[in-house]
Every structure is written in C-alpha cells, then in structure tokens.
Amino acid sequence: MNIAIDGPAGAGKSTIAKKLAKEMGFIYVDTGAMYRAMALYFLKQNLDSSNETEISAAAQAIDISICYQNGEQQVILNGENVTGEIRNEEVGNMASSTSVYPSVRKKLTSLQQKLADSTNVIMDGRDIGTCVLPNAEVKVYLTASVTARAKRRYDELQEKGEECSLEAIQTDIEERDYRDMHRDISPLKQAKDAILLDSSNLTIAQTAEAIQKICQERM
C-alpha cells in the first residue's frame, strides 16, 4: 500500500508521515535523504555541480534505498550505509544545486517508485501524488494557512533559542509557496483524487488520526 502526502512548506508533512509510518508499520521514504545520498555520490566522484552533463551521466550509476534498523532510518547508497555522511552542509549544498536537473529528478523518481513497489510506504513532498506515486491508494493534500504555518515555524525557532521575526517567516513561506507552485518541473498542486486536509486548527495527533482514518477506509 502506498500513501502519498503532498502540500506546501510548513504544513507538517514530514512530522505526520513519520508518525503514521511508525504507528502503521510502514516505511517512511525520506525523499530529501535520497537527494542527499545522490549528492554525496557526486561529491565522492569530485563532480562539478554546475556540469549538468557529468551529473546526469553519473546519476545513472546510482542505486539508493531506505531501510530501518532498530527503528532508525538507514540510507543505503550502492550497497553502503551512508546515513552518517549525508547531513553536513557540503552535501546539502550539492543536493540543492543538482536537484534542479530533470535527469536527477527522473532517476530519483524511479528509485522511489522501486521502493514503493516492494513494500508499504508513506512518502511526502510536493509532487508525490501527481508524479512519483500517481497510483497511490491514498493521496492527501495536507495544507494550513500561511499564518498557522508561520506561527509553527516561529514557535519552533523560539524553542531553540533562535531570534526570528514572525513577519519575515510569513513572507518567506509566501514566496516559497509561489516558487513551488510555479516551477517548471513537477509544480506543487493537489492531485485530482487527493483528499484535502487543512490542519490549521488541528494538532499533530488530530491530523495523524484523520489521515489514518482515511487509510483505514481505503484498506
């Protein structure tokens, strides 16, 4: 069974998807971690992120999968566990630079689909229900008002002791929404058969419960 959760930044997709995966015994497919694993491969091959031709060719030799050991996500790159290597800034920058290439996105989409074909998965992102898992049994478009999403991010940063501006966060979210919805490749949009769920006034537990109820109806 495949569950696709799409929606704008700050809607709580990853938090909800991880919680549901744990409760339902599904694999949570961290698409961001997969992009980072691919970026790590490019770095180890000493490739220039601006050279699309080299990056595209190298991407074809990559295999990435996700599994769990003792409840912890493990990212496997060409048979090697690279979980501890993909979270540094250099890898993040390479991932950001190369994820815009159509060949990279196409390769990762095929890897994500391969995972979804072999096990029960929950996947979240911007184009899961529309592009990556168009045949998913459950599709949810999880959203929340800009005000609610900005307040959540503000509270999160405040808890970490970081200085921030609620107004600046809200502006950033509005701009990111526009970019995500108007990008040329796989823009953010609600799949025609996705269920719209607005979590503006819901807690994490209430949102997870609502999606789990949807899943039970489809099983």
Side-chain angles (χ1 to χ4, degrees), residues 1-7 121-123 127-142 189-197 210-211 214-215 218:
M1 183 176 185
N2 296 168
I3 302 171
I5 302 178
D6 288 308
V121 303
I122 295 179
M123 206 177 297
D127 63 347
I128 307 303
T130 53
C131 297
V132 182
L133 300 178
N135 298 317
E137 289 84 353
V138 175
K139 296 181 186 178
V140 174
Y141 189 85
L142 181 62
K189 62 181 179 180
Q190 180 179 344
K192 292 180 180 179
D193 53 348
I195 294 173
L196 177 65
L197 179 59
I211 296 177
I214 294 169
C215 293
R218 300 294 176 91

PDB file of all heavy atoms in Angstrom, residues 1-7 121-123 127-142 189-197 210-211 214-215 218:
ATOM      1  N   MET A   1       0.851  -1.197   0.000  1.00  0.00           N
ATOM      2  CA  MET A   1       0.000   0.000   0.000  1.00  0.00           C
ATOM      3  C   MET A   1       0.879   1.237   0.000  1.00  0.00           C
ATOM      4  O   MET A   1       1.883   1.294   0.712  1.00  0.00           O
ATOM      5  CB  MET A   1      -0.915   0.004   1.226  1.00  0.00           C
ATOM      6  CG  MET A   1      -1.890   1.178   1.255  1.00  0.00           C
ATOM      7  SD  MET A   1      -3.028   1.063   2.660  1.00  0.00           S
ATOM      8  CE  MET A   1      -4.089   2.458   2.327  1.00  0.00           C
ATOM      9  N   ASN A   2       0.517   2.211  -0.802  1.00  0.00           N
ATOM     10  CA  ASN A   2       1.268   3.464  -0.883  1.00  0.00           C
ATOM     11  C   ASN A   2       0.410   4.634  -0.408  1.00  0.00           C
ATOM     12  O   ASN A   2      -0.758   4.754  -0.800  1.00  0.00           O
ATOM     13  CB  ASN A   2       1.695   3.744  -2.329  1.00  0.00           C
ATOM     14  CG  ASN A   2       2.671   2.713  -2.886  1.00  0.00           C
ATOM     15  OD1 ASN A   2       2.907   2.689  -4.080  1.00  0.00           O
ATOM     16  ND2 ASN A   2       3.219   1.851  -2.039  1.00  0.00           N
ATOM     17  N   ILE A   3       0.999   5.469   0.437  1.00  0.00           N
ATOM     18  CA  ILE A   3       0.326   6.670   0.924  1.00  0.00           C
ATOM     19  C   ILE A   3       1.144   7.872   0.498  1.00  0.00           C
ATOM     20  O   ILE A   3       2.337   7.976   0.811  1.00  0.00           O
ATOM     21  CB  ILE A   3       0.189   6.653   2.457  1.00  0.00           C
ATOM     22  CG1 ILE A   3      -0.576   5.413   2.913  1.00  0.00           C
ATOM     23  CG2 ILE A   3      -0.508   7.925   2.951  1.00  0.00           C
ATOM     24  CD1 ILE A   3      -0.572   5.204   4.425  1.00  0.00           C
ATOM     25  N   ALA A   4       0.524   8.786  -0.236  1.00  0.00           N
ATOM     26  CA  ALA A   4       1.205   9.983  -0.732  1.00  0.00           C
ATOM     27  C   ALA A   4       0.664  11.211   0.000  1.00  0.00           C
ATOM     28  O   ALA A   4      -0.551  11.437   0.021  1.00  0.00           O
ATOM     29  CB  ALA A   4       0.986  10.134  -2.232  1.00  0.00           C
ATOM     30  N   ILE A   5       1.568  11.974   0.610  1.00  0.00           N
ATOM     31  CA  ILE A   5       1.174  13.202   1.301  1.00  0.00           C
ATOM     32  C   ILE A   5       1.903  14.377   0.665  1.00  0.00           C
ATOM     33  O   ILE A   5       3.130  14.472   0.734  1.00  0.00           O
ATOM     34  CB  ILE A   5       1.490  13.137   2.803  1.00  0.00           C
ATOM     35  CG1 ILE A   5       0.788  11.941   3.457  1.00  0.00           C
ATOM     36  CG2 ILE A   5       1.061  14.439   3.492  1.00  0.00           C
ATOM     37  CD1 ILE A   5       1.100  11.778   4.938  1.00  0.00           C
ATOM     38  N   ASP A   6       1.148  15.242   0.020  1.00  0.00           N
ATOM     39  CA  ASP A   6       1.717  16.438  -0.591  1.00  0.00           C
ATOM     40  C   ASP A   6       1.221  17.671   0.145  1.00  0.00           C
ATOM     41  O   ASP A   6       0.236  17.617   0.889  1.00  0.00           O
ATOM     42  CB  ASP A   6       1.310  16.527  -2.064  1.00  0.00           C
ATOM     43  CG  ASP A   6       2.016  15.499  -2.923  1.00  0.00           C
ATOM     44  OD1 ASP A   6       3.257  15.432  -2.846  1.00  0.00           O
ATOM     45  OD2 ASP A   6       1.334  14.760  -3.656  1.00  0.00           O
ATOM     46  N   GLY A   7       1.889  18.781  -0.102  1.00  0.00           N
ATOM     47  CA  GLY A   7       1.446  20.029   0.496  1.00  0.00           C
ATOM     48  C   GLY A   7       2.560  21.043   0.559  1.00  0.00           C
ATOM     49  O   GLY A   7       3.726  20.734   0.288  1.00  0.00           O
ATOM     50  N   VAL A 121       4.649   1.924   1.844  1.00  0.00           N
ATOM     51  CA  VAL A 121       5.387   3.160   2.084  1.00  0.00           C
ATOM     52  C   VAL A 121       4.469   4.360   2.304  1.00  0.00           C
ATOM     53  O   VAL A 121       3.341   4.395   1.809  1.00  0.00           O
ATOM     54  CB  VAL A 121       6.349   3.499   0.918  1.00  0.00           C
ATOM     55  CG1 VAL A 121       7.336   2.373   0.664  1.00  0.00           C
ATOM     56  CG2 VAL A 121       5.590   3.852  -0.358  1.00  0.00           C
ATOM     57  N   ILE A 122       5.012   5.316   3.059  1.00  0.00           N
ATOM     58  CA  ILE A 122       4.424   6.646   3.172  1.00  0.00           C
ATOM     59  C   ILE A 122       5.480   7.607   2.650  1.00  0.00           C
ATOM     60  O   ILE A 122       6.635   7.565   3.082  1.00  0.00           O
ATOM     61  CB  ILE A 122       4.073   6.999   4.625  1.00  0.00           C
ATOM     62  CG1 ILE A 122       2.973   6.076   5.158  1.00  0.00           C
ATOM     63  CG2 ILE A 122       3.615   8.454   4.722  1.00  0.00           C
ATOM     64  CD1 ILE A 122       2.603   6.355   6.602  1.00  0.00           C
ATOM     65  N   MET A 123       5.085   8.452   1.713  1.00  0.00           N
ATOM     66  CA  MET A 123       6.034   9.373   1.109  1.00  0.00           C
ATOM     67  C   MET A 123       5.423  10.774   1.116  1.00  0.00           C
ATOM     68  O   MET A 123       4.239  10.938   0.831  1.00  0.00           O
ATOM     69  CB  MET A 123       6.321   8.923  -0.333  1.00  0.00           C
ATOM     70  CG  MET A 123       7.660   9.327  -0.888  1.00  0.00           C
ATOM     71  SD  MET A 123       7.963   8.683  -2.574  1.00  0.00           S
ATOM     72  CE  MET A 123       7.940   6.909  -2.296  1.00  0.00           C
ATOM     73  N   ASP A 127       5.284  16.646  -5.078  1.00  0.00           N
ATOM     74  CA  ASP A 127       4.739  16.043  -6.302  1.00  0.00           C
ATOM     75  C   ASP A 127       4.569  14.531  -6.187  1.00  0.00           C
ATOM     76  O   ASP A 127       4.622  13.827  -7.178  1.00  0.00           O
ATOM     77  CB  ASP A 127       5.649  16.370  -7.486  1.00  0.00           C
ATOM     78  CG  ASP A 127       7.052  15.777  -7.332  1.00  0.00           C
ATOM     79  OD1 ASP A 127       7.394  15.335  -6.214  1.00  0.00           O
ATOM     80  OD2 ASP A 127       7.799  15.753  -8.327  1.00  0.00           O
ATOM     81  N   ILE A 128       4.354  14.051  -4.968  1.00  0.00           N
ATOM     82  CA  ILE A 128       4.270  12.595  -4.766  1.00  0.00           C
ATOM     83  C   ILE A 128       3.008  12.030  -5.416  1.00  0.00           C
ATOM     84  O   ILE A 128       3.051  11.085  -6.198  1.00  0.00           O
ATOM     85  CB  ILE A 128       4.309  12.233  -3.268  1.00  0.00           C
ATOM     86  CG1 ILE A 128       5.528  12.873  -2.579  1.00  0.00           C
ATOM     87  CG2 ILE A 128       4.338  10.715  -3.102  1.00  0.00           C
ATOM     88  CD1 ILE A 128       6.862  12.509  -3.200  1.00  0.00           C
ATOM     89  N   GLY A 129       1.866  12.609  -5.108  1.00  0.00           N
ATOM     90  CA  GLY A 129       0.611  12.104  -5.654  1.00  0.00           C
ATOM     91  C   GLY A 129       0.417  12.389  -7.126  1.00  0.00           C
ATOM     92  O   GLY A 129      -0.307  11.669  -7.812  1.00  0.00           O
ATOM     93  N   THR A 130       1.071  13.435  -7.629  1.00  0.00           N
ATOM     94  CA  THR A 130       0.892  13.815  -9.028  1.00  0.00           C
ATOM     95  C   THR A 130       1.917  13.162  -9.946  1.00  0.00           C
ATOM     96  O   THR A 130       1.616  12.848 -11.099  1.00  0.00           O
ATOM     97  CB  THR A 130       0.988  15.341  -9.191  1.00  0.00           C
ATOM     98  OG1 THR A 130       2.216  15.810  -8.606  1.00  0.00           O
ATOM     99  CG2 THR A 130      -0.192  16.027  -8.518  1.00  0.00           C
ATOM    100  N   CYS A 131       3.149  12.949  -9.455  1.00  0.00           N
ATOM    101  CA  CYS A 131       4.213  12.450 -10.330  1.00  0.00           C
ATOM    102  C   CYS A 131       4.865  11.154  -9.853  1.00  0.00           C
ATOM    103  O   CYS A 131       5.028  10.215 -10.634  1.00  0.00           O
ATOM    104  CB  CYS A 131       5.311  13.517 -10.470  1.00  0.00           C
ATOM    105  SG  CYS A 131       4.748  15.034 -11.244  1.00  0.00           S
ATOM    106  N   VAL A 132       5.251  11.096  -8.589  1.00  0.00           N
ATOM    107  CA  VAL A 132       6.022   9.954  -8.096  1.00  0.00           C
ATOM    108  C   VAL A 132       5.147   8.719  -7.897  1.00  0.00           C
ATOM    109  O   VAL A 132       5.478   7.623  -8.359  1.00  0.00           O
ATOM    110  CB  VAL A 132       6.759  10.302  -6.781  1.00  0.00           C
ATOM    111  CG1 VAL A 132       7.586   9.113  -6.308  1.00  0.00           C
ATOM    112  CG2 VAL A 132       7.647  11.512  -6.980  1.00  0.00           C
ATOM    113  N   LEU A 133       4.020   8.883  -7.212  1.00  0.00           N
ATOM    114  CA  LEU A 133       3.110   7.756  -6.946  1.00  0.00           C
ATOM    115  C   LEU A 133       1.695   8.091  -7.429  1.00  0.00           C
ATOM    116  O   LEU A 133       0.761   8.210  -6.629  1.00  0.00           O
ATOM    117  CB  LEU A 133       3.087   7.438  -5.443  1.00  0.00           C
ATOM    118  CG  LEU A 133       4.408   7.045  -4.785  1.00  0.00           C
ATOM    119  CD1 LEU A 133       4.210   6.817  -3.287  1.00  0.00           C
ATOM    120  CD2 LEU A 133       4.997   5.795  -5.440  1.00  0.00           C
ATOM    121  N   PRO A 134       1.530   8.233  -8.737  1.00  0.00           N
ATOM    122  CA  PRO A 134       0.211   8.607  -9.263  1.00  0.00           C
ATOM    123  C   PRO A 134      -0.872   7.570  -8.993  1.00  0.00           C
ATOM    124  O   PRO A 134      -2.063   7.885  -9.040  1.00  0.00           O
ATOM    125  CB  PRO A 134       0.459   8.787 -10.770  1.00  0.00           C
ATOM    126  CG  PRO A 134       1.651   7.926 -11.048  1.00  0.00           C
ATOM    127  CD  PRO A 134       2.508   8.035  -9.821  1.00  0.00           C
ATOM    128  N   ASN A 135      -0.465   6.319  -8.690  1.00  0.00           N
ATOM    129  CA  ASN A 135      -1.436   5.255  -8.435  1.00  0.00           C
ATOM    130  C   ASN A 135      -1.546   4.905  -6.948  1.00  0.00           C
ATOM    131  O   ASN A 135      -2.049   3.833  -6.599  1.00  0.00           O
ATOM    132  CB  ASN A 135      -1.051   4.001  -9.233  1.00  0.00           C
ATOM    133  CG  ASN A 135      -1.076   4.244 -10.733  1.00  0.00           C
ATOM    134  OD1 ASN A 135      -1.997   4.871 -11.247  1.00  0.00           O
ATOM    135  ND2 ASN A 135      -0.060   3.758 -11.434  1.00  0.00           N
ATOM    136  N   ALA A 136      -1.065   5.778  -6.093  1.00  0.00           N
ATOM    137  CA  ALA A 136      -1.130   5.528  -4.645  1.00  0.00           C
ATOM    138  C   ALA A 136      -2.579   5.309  -4.209  1.00  0.00           C
ATOM    139  O   ALA A 136      -3.491   5.994  -4.688  1.00  0.00           O
ATOM    140  CB  ALA A 136      -0.533   6.699  -3.879  1.00  0.00           C
ATOM    141  N   GLU A 137      -2.775   4.333  -3.307  1.00  0.00           N
ATOM    142  CA  GLU A 137      -4.125   4.032  -2.822  1.00  0.00           C
ATOM    143  C   GLU A 137      -4.699   5.182  -2.003  1.00  0.00           C
ATOM    144  O   GLU A 137      -5.911   5.400  -1.980  1.00  0.00           O
ATOM    145  CB  GLU A 137      -4.109   2.762  -1.958  1.00  0.00           C
ATOM    146  CG  GLU A 137      -3.886   1.481  -2.738  1.00  0.00           C
ATOM    147  CD  GLU A 137      -2.422   1.175  -3.007  1.00  0.00           C
ATOM    148  OE1 GLU A 137      -1.550   2.029  -2.710  1.00  0.00           O
ATOM    149  OE2 GLU A 137      -2.141   0.082  -3.518  1.00  0.00           O
ATOM    150  N   VAL A 138      -3.817   5.919  -1.307  1.00  0.00           N
ATOM    151  CA  VAL A 138      -4.258   7.066  -0.502  1.00  0.00           C
ATOM    152  C   VAL A 138      -3.430   8.283  -0.880  1.00  0.00           C
ATOM    153  O   VAL A 138      -2.201   8.240  -0.862  1.00  0.00           O
ATOM    154  CB  VAL A 138      -4.106   6.794   1.009  1.00  0.00           C
ATOM    155  CG1 VAL A 138      -4.458   8.043   1.809  1.00  0.00           C
ATOM    156  CG2 VAL A 138      -4.991   5.633   1.441  1.00  0.00           C
ATOM    157  N   LYS A 139      -4.117   9.357  -1.231  1.00  0.00           N
ATOM    158  CA  LYS A 139      -3.444  10.626  -1.518  1.00  0.00           C
ATOM    159  C   LYS A 139      -4.066  11.713  -0.655  1.00  0.00           C
ATOM    160  O   LYS A 139      -5.296  11.860  -0.635  1.00  0.00           O
ATOM    161  CB  LYS A 139      -3.596  11.009  -2.994  1.00  0.00           C
ATOM    162  CG  LYS A 139      -2.942  10.057  -3.976  1.00  0.00           C
ATOM    163  CD  LYS A 139      -3.145  10.566  -5.389  1.00  0.00           C
ATOM    164  CE  LYS A 139      -2.639   9.574  -6.429  1.00  0.00           C
ATOM    165  NZ  LYS A 139      -2.887  10.061  -7.804  1.00  0.00           N
ATOM    166  N   VAL A 140      -3.212  12.431   0.050  1.00  0.00           N
ATOM    167  CA  VAL A 140      -3.683  13.516   0.909  1.00  0.00           C
ATOM    168  C   VAL A 140      -2.930  14.788   0.552  1.00  0.00           C
ATOM    169  O   VAL A 140      -1.706  14.764   0.396  1.00  0.00           O
ATOM    170  CB  VAL A 140      -3.459  13.190   2.400  1.00  0.00           C
ATOM    171  CG1 VAL A 140      -3.828  14.395   3.271  1.00  0.00           C
ATOM    172  CG2 VAL A 140      -4.271  11.972   2.812  1.00  0.00           C
ATOM    173  N   TYR A 141      -3.666  15.869   0.384  1.00  0.00           N
ATOM    174  CA  TYR A 141      -3.038  17.182   0.198  1.00  0.00           C
ATOM    175  C   TYR A 141      -3.174  17.903   1.527  1.00  0.00           C
ATOM    176  O   TYR A 141      -4.248  18.374   1.895  1.00  0.00           O
ATOM    177  CB  TYR A 141      -3.710  17.963  -0.928  1.00  0.00           C
ATOM    178  CG  TYR A 141      -2.966  19.231  -1.298  1.00  0.00           C
ATOM    179  CD1 TYR A 141      -1.897  19.192  -2.198  1.00  0.00           C
ATOM    180  CD2 TYR A 141      -3.322  20.451  -0.755  1.00  0.00           C
ATOM    181  CE1 TYR A 141      -1.198  20.347  -2.534  1.00  0.00           C
ATOM    182  CE2 TYR A 141      -2.633  21.613  -1.092  1.00  0.00           C
ATOM    183  CZ  TYR A 141      -1.583  21.550  -1.981  1.00  0.00           C
ATOM    184  OH  TYR A 141      -0.886  22.695  -2.313  1.00  0.00           O
ATOM    185  N   LEU A 142      -2.079  17.919   2.271  1.00  0.00           N
ATOM    186  CA  LEU A 142      -2.073  18.489   3.621  1.00  0.00           C
ATOM    187  C   LEU A 142      -1.630  19.945   3.563  1.00  0.00           C
ATOM    188  O   LEU A 142      -0.528  20.255   3.109  1.00  0.00           O
ATOM    189  CB  LEU A 142      -1.111  17.691   4.514  1.00  0.00           C
ATOM    190  CG  LEU A 142      -0.989  18.138   5.975  1.00  0.00           C
ATOM    191  CD1 LEU A 142      -2.330  18.017   6.694  1.00  0.00           C
ATOM    192  CD2 LEU A 142       0.081  17.328   6.693  1.00  0.00           C
ATOM    193  N   LYS A 189       0.871  20.958  -6.572  1.00  0.00           N
ATOM    194  CA  LYS A 189      -0.558  21.087  -6.804  1.00  0.00           C
ATOM    195  C   LYS A 189      -1.261  19.872  -6.226  1.00  0.00           C
ATOM    196  O   LYS A 189      -0.654  18.818  -6.036  1.00  0.00           O
ATOM    197  CB  LYS A 189      -0.875  21.230  -8.300  1.00  0.00           C
ATOM    198  CG  LYS A 189      -0.466  20.052  -9.158  1.00  0.00           C
ATOM    199  CD  LYS A 189      -0.807  20.320 -10.622  1.00  0.00           C
ATOM    200  CE  LYS A 189      -0.383  19.165 -11.510  1.00  0.00           C
ATOM    201  NZ  LYS A 189      -0.702  19.413 -12.937  1.00  0.00           N
ATOM    202  N   GLN A 190      -2.525  20.029  -5.949  1.00  0.00           N
ATOM    203  CA  GLN A 190      -3.302  18.929  -5.395  1.00  0.00           C
ATOM    204  C   GLN A 190      -3.703  17.970  -6.518  1.00  0.00           C
ATOM    205  O   GLN A 190      -4.247  18.392  -7.543  1.00  0.00           O
ATOM    206  CB  GLN A 190      -4.560  19.461  -4.707  1.00  0.00           C
ATOM    207  CG  GLN A 190      -5.436  18.378  -4.082  1.00  0.00           C
ATOM    208  CD  GLN A 190      -6.658  18.949  -3.396  1.00  0.00           C
ATOM    209  OE1 GLN A 190      -6.720  20.148  -3.115  1.00  0.00           O
ATOM    210  NE2 GLN A 190      -7.647  18.105  -3.132  1.00  0.00           N
ATOM    211  N   ALA A 191      -3.393  16.688  -6.331  1.00  0.00           N
ATOM    212  CA  ALA A 191      -3.818  15.680  -7.310  1.00  0.00           C
ATOM    213  C   ALA A 191      -5.347  15.657  -7.345  1.00  0.00           C
ATOM    214  O   ALA A 191      -6.012  15.906  -6.336  1.00  0.00           O
ATOM    215  CB  ALA A 191      -3.278  14.310  -6.916  1.00  0.00           C
ATOM    216  N   LYS A 192      -5.890  15.351  -8.513  1.00  0.00           N
ATOM    217  CA  LYS A 192      -7.350  15.375  -8.679  1.00  0.00           C
ATOM    218  C   LYS A 192      -8.057  14.425  -7.714  1.00  0.00           C
ATOM    219  O   LYS A 192      -9.185  14.693  -7.294  1.00  0.00           O
ATOM    220  CB  LYS A 192      -7.709  15.024 -10.124  1.00  0.00           C
ATOM    221  CG  LYS A 192      -7.298  16.092 -11.128  1.00  0.00           C
ATOM    222  CD  LYS A 192      -7.686  15.700 -12.542  1.00  0.00           C
ATOM    223  CE  LYS A 192      -7.266  16.772 -13.544  1.00  0.00           C
ATOM    224  NZ  LYS A 192      -7.624  16.397 -14.945  1.00  0.00           N
ATOM    225  N   ASP A 193      -7.395  13.313  -7.381  1.00  0.00           N
ATOM    226  CA  ASP A 193      -8.024  12.320  -6.498  1.00  0.00           C
ATOM    227  C   ASP A 193      -7.495  12.378  -5.066  1.00  0.00           C
ATOM    228  O   ASP A 193      -7.697  11.443  -4.283  1.00  0.00           O
ATOM    229  CB  ASP A 193      -7.850  10.911  -7.060  1.00  0.00           C
ATOM    230  CG  ASP A 193      -6.391  10.568  -7.363  1.00  0.00           C
ATOM    231  OD1 ASP A 193      -5.551  11.485  -7.364  1.00  0.00           O
ATOM    232  OD2 ASP A 193      -6.096   9.377  -7.587  1.00  0.00           O
ATOM    233  N   ALA A 194      -6.825  13.476  -4.714  1.00  0.00           N
ATOM    234  CA  ALA A 194      -6.301  13.627  -3.348  1.00  0.00           C
ATOM    235  C   ALA A 194      -7.354  14.251  -2.436  1.00  0.00           C
ATOM    236  O   ALA A 194      -8.163  15.076  -2.870  1.00  0.00           O
ATOM    237  CB  ALA A 194      -5.049  14.493  -3.356  1.00  0.00           C
ATOM    238  N   ILE A 195      -7.324  13.848  -1.182  1.00  0.00           N
ATOM    239  CA  ILE A 195      -8.242  14.412  -0.185  1.00  0.00           C
ATOM    240  C   ILE A 195      -7.571  15.624   0.453  1.00  0.00           C
ATOM    241  O   ILE A 195      -6.440  15.549   0.930  1.00  0.00           O
ATOM    242  CB  ILE A 195      -8.587  13.365   0.885  1.00  0.00           C
ATOM    243  CG1 ILE A 195      -9.377  12.220   0.249  1.00  0.00           C
ATOM    244  CG2 ILE A 195      -9.381  13.994   2.027  1.00  0.00           C
ATOM    245  CD1 ILE A 195      -9.634  11.058   1.184  1.00  0.00           C
ATOM    246  N   LEU A 196      -8.254  16.740   0.437  1.00  0.00           N
ATOM    247  CA  LEU A 196      -7.730  17.974   1.033  1.00  0.00           C
ATOM    248  C   LEU A 196      -7.931  17.952   2.541  1.00  0.00           C
ATOM    249  O   LEU A 196      -9.032  17.694   3.027  1.00  0.00           O
ATOM    250  CB  LEU A 196      -8.447  19.185   0.435  1.00  0.00           C
ATOM    251  CG  LEU A 196      -8.069  20.554   1.006  1.00  0.00           C
ATOM    252  CD1 LEU A 196      -6.619  20.891   0.685  1.00  0.00           C
ATOM    253  CD2 LEU A 196      -9.004  21.633   0.465  1.00  0.00           C
ATOM    254  N   LEU A 197      -6.844  18.186   3.267  1.00  0.00           N
ATOM    255  CA  LEU A 197      -6.911  18.231   4.727  1.00  0.00           C
ATOM    256  C   LEU A 197      -6.218  19.496   5.218  1.00  0.00           C
ATOM    257  O   LEU A 197      -5.019  19.666   5.023  1.00  0.00           O
ATOM    258  CB  LEU A 197      -6.239  16.995   5.334  1.00  0.00           C
ATOM    259  CG  LEU A 197      -6.214  16.912   6.867  1.00  0.00           C
ATOM    260  CD1 LEU A 197      -7.627  16.933   7.445  1.00  0.00           C
ATOM    261  CD2 LEU A 197      -5.490  15.648   7.335  1.00  0.00           C
ATOM    262  N   ALA A 210      -6.727  11.759  11.519  1.00  0.00           N
ATOM    263  CA  ALA A 210      -7.599  11.994  10.368  1.00  0.00           C
ATOM    264  C   ALA A 210      -7.093  11.236   9.139  1.00  0.00           C
ATOM    265  O   ALA A 210      -7.873  10.622   8.403  1.00  0.00           O
ATOM    266  CB  ALA A 210      -7.675  13.491  10.070  1.00  0.00           C
ATOM    267  N   ILE A 211      -5.772  11.256   8.930  1.00  0.00           N
ATOM    268  CA  ILE A 211      -5.201  10.558   7.772  1.00  0.00           C
ATOM    269  C   ILE A 211      -5.294   9.047   7.961  1.00  0.00           C
ATOM    270  O   ILE A 211      -5.567   8.294   7.014  1.00  0.00           O
ATOM    271  CB  ILE A 211      -3.746  10.996   7.537  1.00  0.00           C
ATOM    272  CG1 ILE A 211      -3.705  12.485   7.168  1.00  0.00           C
ATOM    273  CG2 ILE A 211      -3.101  10.171   6.427  1.00  0.00           C
ATOM    274  CD1 ILE A 211      -2.312  13.044   6.976  1.00  0.00           C
ATOM    275  N   ILE A 214      -8.617   7.880   6.995  1.00  0.00           N
ATOM    276  CA  ILE A 214      -8.734   7.817   5.534  1.00  0.00           C
ATOM    277  C   ILE A 214      -8.119   6.524   5.012  1.00  0.00           C
ATOM    278  O   ILE A 214      -8.677   5.843   4.159  1.00  0.00           O
ATOM    279  CB  ILE A 214      -8.042   9.036   4.881  1.00  0.00           C
ATOM    280  CG1 ILE A 214      -8.771  10.333   5.252  1.00  0.00           C
ATOM    281  CG2 ILE A 214      -7.974   8.876   3.367  1.00  0.00           C
ATOM    282  CD1 ILE A 214      -8.022  11.593   4.883  1.00  0.00           C
ATOM    283  N   CYS A 215      -6.947   6.190   5.559  1.00  0.00           N
ATOM    284  CA  CYS A 215      -6.252   4.966   5.148  1.00  0.00           C
ATOM    285  C   CYS A 215      -7.064   3.715   5.454  1.00  0.00           C
ATOM    286  O   CYS A 215      -7.160   2.794   4.630  1.00  0.00           O
ATOM    287  CB  CYS A 215      -4.894   4.869   5.830  1.00  0.00           C
ATOM    288  SG  CYS A 215      -3.698   6.132   5.329  1.00  0.00           S
ATOM    289  N   ARG A 218      -9.670   2.985   2.999  1.00  0.00           N
ATOM    290  CA  ARG A 218      -9.189   2.533   1.687  1.00  0.00           C
ATOM    291  C   ARG A 218      -8.614   1.113   1.729  1.00  0.00           C
ATOM    292  O   ARG A 218      -8.351   0.535   0.683  1.00  0.00           O
ATOM    293  CB  ARG A 218      -8.109   3.496   1.181  1.00  0.00           C
ATOM    294  CG  ARG A 218      -8.568   4.932   1.016  1.00  0.00           C
ATOM    295  CD  ARG A 218      -9.618   5.075  -0.075  1.00  0.00           C
ATOM    296  NE  ARG A 218     -10.122   6.429  -0.169  1.00  0.00           N
ATOM    297  CZ  ARG A 218      -9.614   7.368  -0.964  1.00  0.00           C
ATOM    298  NH1 ARG A 218      -8.580   7.078  -1.731  1.00  0.00           N
ATOM    299  NH2 ARG A 218     -10.139   8.566  -1.004  1.00  0.00           N
TER     300      ARG A 218
END
